[in-house]
Amino acid sequence: PATSIAWGLWQQTSTITEHLNTADLNRLTKIGLHSLTTAHALSLFDNAITTHHPLHAAAHIDTTQRVSHIPLLLKTLLRPLKKAVPKSGAVADLVSLTPQQRTEALVALIRTHTAAVLGHASPDSVQAEHAFQQLGLDSLTAIELRNQVNAATGLRLPVAVVFDHPTPTALAAYISAQLTGTETPAAPVVRATSSSGEDPIVVVGMACRFPGGIRSPEDLWKLLENEVDAISEFPSNRGWDLDAIYDPDPEHLRTSYTRHGGFLHDADRFDPEFFGMSPREALAADPQQRLLLEATWETLENADIVPATLRGSRTGVFTGLMYQGHGASIWQNIPEEVEGYVAGGSSGSIASGRIAYTFGFEGPTLTLDTACSSSLVALHLAANALRNGECDLAIAGGATVMSVPVPFSEFSRQRALAPDGRCKPFAAAADGTSWSEGVGLVL
């Protein structure tokens, strides 16, 4: 009976092993955990049933691996092994370098070990300014990287060091400070008040996308100067049933008596790889979130700031977002390839957080919906956060993309839309408002 039980257990283990991919098997081998042969497994089982200990771990642990590579959980199962002594000369060599040389050497060291734990043949695939999670590290490989760096430098870095310093460059700076006994001084908190006589809030960069092909503040000024009409018919690339949507009768339910508005006809275009997103995640992400990412990059570019230099900075993000139509358009029939990404991709609260995560900002983040005043309130809160010293820089603004035509049908029932899609303020011909899209941010 014991042999039968052991054979059944071994068959289950073999089935599990068959479903592990090559990367998983390589990872297990790399930390010193090897597959058991049938004979070895049965032998271990025979030994286990003759002891009086209630718990057993059947494992083949390769003790020839460097001890620093064996996880702590497995180390407790082993007899005491001789610990590897770090090379004190390596630390001395690093300390003797100039700050720039030391940083370059540490970045190279971290890139090399990151490539190793990820199974890459060369550190060339590890970008110094990319986040470790973006490079593919998870909680297990992050600890593995930390252990390797500890062994190479002789330091005792905390377990979460890779998450606290999320890029090779940031981690190199932290290790450099640990080696030399210097700490990066905390940024002083400046608390300005309106009584100082001069408002410290200054706009240093901006970006926008609006109907009529506007892709910059300069384009917007030209459109106003030339009195260009940017109103167009409903977009043809959103899956809207254009024939069914329109009905000139304002009493007709679930239809719009106008088929005009201000639209971003290229709102479906996005380069996910540029922002470290998978195609599936990008497909599930609300176009408003994607536009905010693009506009954030362009805002920093407009301010002559390299986005990577703000990673880890006290930069806040305040975004106004009122339309949530993207989630409603796909919740009823979620495509299989995007399941798991829809909740975050359609959640307004994620909009500001996605910006902060992508760019590595560590200031306050807030997405708010106060209807048509959302971006104005976001700007107000961003300015207050700067005045109160909560952040040093702030991205503020908002975005609107109507993924579904519901705003048109709803306001058609209220007779609130201009039939030709054009507002006529202060005119006797004024006959309603017009809906329009866009994104605008300031730094």
Side-chain angles (χ1 to χ4, degrees):
T3 303
S4 300
I5 295 171
W7 179 248
L9 292 172
W10 178 241
Q11 283 184 317
Q12 292 181 34
T13 307
S14 299
T15 302
I16 294 171
T17 305
E18 288 173 4
H19 285 82
L20 290 175
N21 58 38
T22 303
D24 292 330
L25 290 173
N26 288 341
R27 177 184 292 180
L28 291 173
T29 302
K30 204 160 152 188
I31 63 173
L33 194 60
H34 295 269
S35 300
L36 295 172
T37 64
T38 302
H40 192 182
L42 290 173
S43 174
L44 290 175
F45 184 82
D46 288 339
N47 289 333
I49 62 176
T50 61
T51 69
H52 300 290
H53 299 294
L55 300 175
H56 305 281
H60 176 190
I61 303 174
D62 182 1
T63 58
T64 63
Q65 296 276 348
R66 285 191 298 170
V67 177
S68 61
H69 285 191
I70 299 178
L72 181 61
L73 178 63
L74 299 184
K75 283 183 184 178
T76 60
L77 305 177
L78 303 176
R79 296 184 183 89
L81 299 176
K82 184 179 179 181
K83 293 186 177 182
V85 179
K87 299 178 181 178
S88 58
V91 176
D93 291 342
L94 286 170
V95 173
S96 66
L97 298 174
T98 65
Q100 182 176 351
Q101 291 173 333
R102 184 165 52 253
T103 298
E104 291 174 353
L106 287 169
V107 168
L109 181 146
I110 293 167
R111 290 178 63 201
T112 298
H113 288 294
T114 302
V117 299
L118 291 175
H120 297 327
S122 167
D124 294 339
S125 58
V126 178
Q127 300 299 316
E129 298 298 339
H130 284 191
F132 287 116
Q133 286 184 308
Q134 183 181 345
L135 293 169
L137 261 72
D138 55 21
S139 56
L140 179 61
T141 48
I143 294 176
E144 209 173 321
L145 174 60
R146 169 258 196 181
N147 290 343
Q148 291 201 24
V149 173
N150 273 354
T153 61
L155 294 174
R156 294 177 61 86
L157 301 174
V159 173
V161 68
V162 170
F163 299 102
D164 293 336
H165 307 278
T167 68
T169 299
L171 182 56
Y174 173 75
I175 293 174
S176 179
Q178 296 300 307
L179 290 171
T180 58
T182 59
E183 294 290 340
T184 304
V189 176
V190 179
R191 298 188 179 278
T193 63
S194 57
S195 61
S196 62
E198 183 178 349
D199 194 335
I201 309 303
V202 180
V203 174
V204 295
M206 60 180 72
C208 63
R209 305 274 185 85
F210 292 120
I214 296 171
R215 301 186 66 84
S216 69
E218 291 77 15
D219 288 345
L220 176 59
W221 181 256
K222 290 177 183 176
L223 178 135
L224 295 172
E225 187 178 33
N226 297 326
E227 300 182 7
V228 176
D229 184 355
I231 299 299
S232 64
E233 292 191 350
F234 285 166
S236 60
N237 57 353
R238 298 189 187 178
W240 295 3
D241 188 341
L242 300 182
D243 293 331
I245 290 173
Y246 176 72
D247 192 302
D249 181 5
E251 295 289 344
H252 197 276
L253 298 179
R254 289 181 291 278
T255 60
S256 169
Y257 60 75
T258 181
R259 43 188 166 194
H260 292 83
F263 298 100
L264 298 178
H265 291 277
D266 59 353
D268 59 324
R269 303 184 65 184
F270 182 69
D271 182 0
E273 185 178 356
F274 185 83
F275 292 99
M277 294 173 64
S278 70
R280 290 193 302 157
E281 185 177 8
L283 188 63
D286 190 323
Q288 296 173 131
Q289 294 188 20
R290 304 197 302 246
L291 282 169
L292 285 168
L293 285 175
E294 293 176 334
T296 298
W297 181 279
E298 292 167 6
T299 299
L300 298 175
E301 193 174 46
N302 182 258
D304 289 331
I305 296 175
V306 178
T309 63
L310 293 183
R311 187 169 293 278
S313 68
R314 299 171 70 250
T315 300
V317 182
F318 300 81
T319 56
L321 210 64
M322 64 177 289
Y323 285 112
Q324 309 295 331
H326 182 69
S329 67
I330 56 178
W331 270 117
Q332 298 300 322
N333 186 23
I334 299 176
E336 183 178 340
E337 63 271 19
V338 302
E339 190 167 354
Y341 293 106
V342 175
S346 60
S347 173
S349 60
I350 299 295
S352 56
R354 189 185 290 276
I355 294 173
Y357 173 79
T358 301
F359 290 88
F361 301 152
E362 296 185 5
T365 61
L366 177 68
T367 307
L368 60 126
D369 176 3
T370 58
C372 297
S373 64
S374 296
S375 58
L376 182 62
V377 177
L379 184 64
H380 168 74
L381 294 176
N384 279 349
L386 289 166
R387 293 187 182 102
N388 293 332
E390 298 169 15
C391 52
D392 301 322
L393 291 169
I395 294 281
T400 295
V401 174
M402 292 171 282
S403 296
V404 292
V406 172
F408 290 94
S409 60
E410 281 289 294
F411 278 77
S412 287
R413 300 293 76 73
Q414 298 178 23
R415 311 294 197 277
L417 298 178
D420 63 355
R422 290 161 177 83
C423 300
K424 309 165 189 70
F426 312 113
D431 55 357
T433 189
S434 176
W435 293 143
S436 186
E437 303 176 330
V439 58
L441 294 176
V442 296
L443 178 67

